[in-house]
Amino acid sequence: MDRTDSVKRAAEAIAAADAILIGAGAGMGVDSGLPDFRGDEGFWKAYPPLKHLGISFVEMANPVWFMDKPEMAWAFYGHRLNLYRETVPHQGFSLLNSWASGKQGGSFVFTSNVDGQFQRAGFAEEKIYECHGSIHHLQCLEGCDGEVRPAEGVYIDVNLDDMTVAGEIPACASCGSVTRPNILMFNDWSWLPQRTNAQEERLGQWLDNIGGGGKGKLAIVECGAGTAVPTVRMSCQAFAARYDARLIRINPREPHGPDGTISIDTPALEGLRLIDEEIKSP
């Protein structure tokens, strides 16, 4: 099926739906100008000093750095925190929000991104599930009090030339030790999952209310979720099968899916714009 037919089918599925589940992977943020960490070269382009040290994204995204070299860890995550705060979400977020605003069941977001872009774009906090946590929330490295706190008021002055920070790194309000983002990292056994677990529970309740017992027709719009970290991709497929939902997969490199998937082989923003044009066409 060619792209034009796929876009038309996607528009029809969205128009017929009573609610929209939005799935989003790393490709959703690229159109907003956020760095693409797909492969070492993309990561090293954003963080040249780490290329010199031969440290990959998988190696850097590990809580061990907060124990061994907390200043370098906070240079990396502090720069990302500053970047995500400054980034303006692209138009695709608004398009998704506008489609969902006319639905009886509204929408829910399921994302592996930790950037907080959906909240920044106006999506309700209680209708977002961030399966890998959020850089906008912090926890004690030691997990001393088991608390997850907002990062509001925490600002990191980063020097990317040598991956250092000016001033003090964030300290735990309870014990004074190093804090870290409440993000699920690689080889991470100290992540505090309670905030994310609560989000997951709300998503499950929403899905059961929409799709359980034929109460409503669900459309799933998945954007930029690839196979490298397949959490969102595989979950959207499972939700589509469980709730008899139509899965719309927008992905420039990996648009394929199970039988019945509506595949659109474009970046997120382009695909969403094409669907919106079709929805609004006479």
Side-chain angles (χ1 to χ4, degrees), residues 132-229:
H132 293 164
S134 168
I135 201 168
H136 300 283
H137 289 78
L138 306 178
Q139 65 169 84
C140 177
L141 181 61
E142 306 295 333
C144 70
D145 58 5
E147 293 293 323
V148 176
R149 298 180 173 89
E152 295 173 4
V154 173
Y155 296 94
I156 313 296
D157 187 2
V158 178
N159 183 346
L160 281 185
D161 291 336
D162 58 5
M163 295 297 289
T164 60
V165 299
E168 299 293 326
I169 59 176
C172 174
S174 294
C175 71
S177 67
V178 175
T179 61
R180 49 161 282 188
N182 184 234
I183 293 173
L184 178 60
M185 303 178 195
F186 295 96
N187 298 314
D188 193 349
W189 309 109
S190 59
W191 180 56
L192 298 178
Q194 61 263 35
R195 176 177 177 271
T196 297
N197 288 347
Q199 292 178 330
E200 182 180 18
E201 183 176 351
R202 289 194 293 270
L203 171 60
Q205 293 171 347
W206 182 83
L207 284 169
D208 287 341
N209 186 55
I210 297 298
K215 296 177 183 177
K217 187 177 292 186
L218 178 67
I220 302 174
V221 183
E222 178 196 294
C223 304
T227 59
V229 182

Side-chain angles (χ1 to χ4, degrees), residues 12-49:
E12 291 171 348
I14 291 168
D18 298 302
I20 300 174
L21 174 63
I22 300 163
M28 185 65 176
V30 172
D31 289 318
S32 296
L34 295 176
D36 182 3
F37 293 158
R38 183 184 175 91
D40 288 341
E41 289 304 320
F43 174 62
W44 286 336
K45 182 178 180 181
Y47 299 98

Side-chain angles (χ1 to χ4, degrees), residues 4 7 47 61 71 82 84 117 122-123 139 172 182 184 194 203 218 226 243 247 263 266 268 278:
T4 300
V7 168
Y47 299 98
E71 186 176 273
N82 296 339
Y84 298 156
Q117 288 287 285
F123 286 80
Q139 65 169 84
C172 174
N182 184 234
L184 178 60
Q194 61 263 35
L203 171 60
L218 178 67
Y243 296 101
L247 173 59
S263 301
T266 68
E278 182 64 29

Side-chain angles (χ1 to χ4, degrees), residues 1 16 24 35 57 74 76-77 82 92 135 148 177 185 205 213-214 225 228 230 261 277:
M1 182 171 295
F57 172 69
W74 266 112
F76 174 55
Y77 282 99
N82 296 339
I135 201 168
V148 176
S177 67
M185 303 178 195
Q205 293 171 347
T261 301
E277 290 171 3

